[in-house]
């Protein structure tokens, strides 16, 4: 039997990136500053993780203007939503497994 | 409002270490080979993550013999169980938040 953690994708599972995808999944796109504030991240830290997510095809970064002010929006892609859904599914399996195993008598288990 | 991912502890959240703690939490101690097989890990990979967990005080590593064969057992500590419980609690909050937000109309959110 495969343990649920074996299916986790580090690109999505990593704490900060999981937060970014979770926040983005709540709407269709969000501003850089909104993500930063929602997750308590520095500029550099958010940029670095967005790059990883963009390279994986999980987010798209859009630069534009709002009036004369430059803006950066980040949008979750269809692949990003799918990856997040897989992560959530595996986390639920993991939680369920841990919570149902509290009464298991397994002790001094061997290979 | 703090996002649940902000409370996640990287020592516990990292995929492999989360798996190790989850497997250990199912009993009182497990053999090195059992952990390796349960999680599909190489010797080196498991050793490296066990060291991180030991340094954080979340596992204890015990060396001994079973007959004449050397054995390594790994035991989760009380702090390790507590850290895993916190992780699981935050993951449940995260899952709940993602699943309840699918209908939120937030679009083009700003800071």
């Amino acid at each position: 039997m495969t343990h649920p953690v074996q299916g986790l994708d580090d690109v999505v599972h990593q704490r900060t990136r999981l937060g970014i995808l979770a926040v983005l999944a709540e709407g269709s796109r969000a501003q850089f500053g909104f993500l930063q504030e929602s997750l308590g991240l520095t500029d550099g830290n958010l940029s670095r993780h967005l790059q990883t997510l963009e390279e994986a095809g999980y987010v798209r970064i859009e630069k534009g203007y709002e009036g004369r002010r430059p803006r950066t929006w980040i949008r979750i892609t269809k692949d990003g939503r799918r990856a997040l859904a897989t992560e959530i599914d595996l986390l639920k399996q993991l939680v369920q497994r841990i919570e149902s195993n509290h009464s298991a008598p397994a002790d001094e288990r061997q290979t």
Side-chain angles (χ1 to χ4, degrees), chain A:
Chain A
M1 193 172 68
T2 306
H3 196 279
V5 299
Q6 288 179 263
L8 293 172
D9 168 2
D10 286 328
V11 173
V12 180
H13 184 68
Q14 194 278 340
R15 187 169 74 87
T16 303
R17 293 192 290 268
L18 183 56
I20 294 170
L21 292 177
V23 171
L24 290 175
E26 292 174 12
S28 68
R29 66 178 191 174
Q31 283 199 23
F32 190 91
F34 178 86
L35 277 178
Q36 237 189 323
E37 195 162 286
S38 300
L39 298 164
L41 299 172
T42 61
D43 261 47
N45 198 10
L46 177 54
S47 295
R48 187 165 58 86
H49 287 297
L50 284 177
Q51 196 185 332
T52 302
L53 289 169
E54 194 180 29
E55 283 164 8
Y58 294 162
V59 304
R60 259 202 321 276
I61 296 166
E62 298 165 358
K63 298 198 180 261
Y65 285 86
E66 199 167 61
R68 300 173 63 170
R69 304 181 66 168
R71 293 282 187 223
T72 301
W73 289 278
I74 297 97
R75 193 182 285 277
I76 188 168
T77 63
K78 199 176 276 187
D79 281 353
R81 284 196 191 271
R82 201 174 296 131
L84 182 63
T86 301
E87 165 85 12
I88 293 306
D89 190 51
L90 287 165
L91 292 181
K92 286 164 77 173
Q93 284 179 41
L94 178 74
V95 168
Q96 198 171 27
R97 181 166 166 157
I98 290 175
E99 295 193 330
S100 70
N101 259 312
H102 273 167
S103 53
D107 190 16
E108 310 212 355
R109 290 154 301 155
Q110 301 167 20
T111 310

